[in-house]
Amino acid sequence: MCFSATQVSYQYFLSVSPADGHLYISNPEKHQILRALSLDPVAEPHINCEPVVGSGERCIPGDETHCGDEGPARDAKLAHPKGQCKGRNGLAALVKILLINK
């Protein structure tokens, strides 16, 4: 994977799925969870991942569609995803924390 100069300032969270052995990376700037396609050296690292969770749109509090709840994971809207949890069936949940001060 390759990151631009502005992307390296974000904190990325990595995990390996016990179900499939893939490396998953949370990308807070792009509002997605990515899966590395290969852990071996590749000729074009910028195309060595694919989104598995998140459409790339940010989830805004009060979203009328509830940010895609109950729909396909790739269509969900996320707000700076922080981490993921894996179950035997693959990506089971992602950690999403929203704090609202009133």
Side-chain angles (χ1 to χ4, degrees), residues 54-86:
S55 65
E57 292 184 59
R58 182 173 178 221
C59 176
I60 306 293
D63 183 274
E64 291 180 9
T65 66
H66 302 284
C67 299
D69 288 352
E70 304 296 326
R74 289 187 69 166
D75 294 343
K77 297 177 189 176
L78 304 179
H80 306 287
K82 302 295 187 234
Q84 326 94 37
C85 300
K86 311 295 179 302

Side-chain angles (χ1 to χ4, degrees), residues 6 10-13 17 23 30 45 53 63 67 72 74 83 85 88 91 93-94 100:
T6 60
Y10 283 87
Q11 184 174 8
Y12 296 86
F13 295 84
S17 169
L23 173 67
K30 291 191 176 182
V53 180
D63 183 274
C67 299
R74 289 187 69 166
C85 300
R88 283 183 279 172
L91 191 63
L94 69 113
I100 300 175

Side-chain angles (χ1 to χ4, degrees), residues 14-59:
L14 310 173
S15 63
V16 175
S17 169
D20 61 16
H22 280 100
L23 173 67
Y24 291 86
I25 304 107
S26 64
N27 188 334
E29 182 182 39
K30 291 191 176 182
H31 313 291
Q32 293 178 314
I33 305 290
L34 307 171
R35 175 175 43 218
L37 299 175
S38 174
L39 298 180
D40 296 321
V42 294
E44 298 183 59
H46 63 281
I47 60 170
N48 189 37
C49 65
E50 64 182 353
V52 291
V53 180
S55 65
E57 292 184 59
R58 182 173 178 221
C59 176

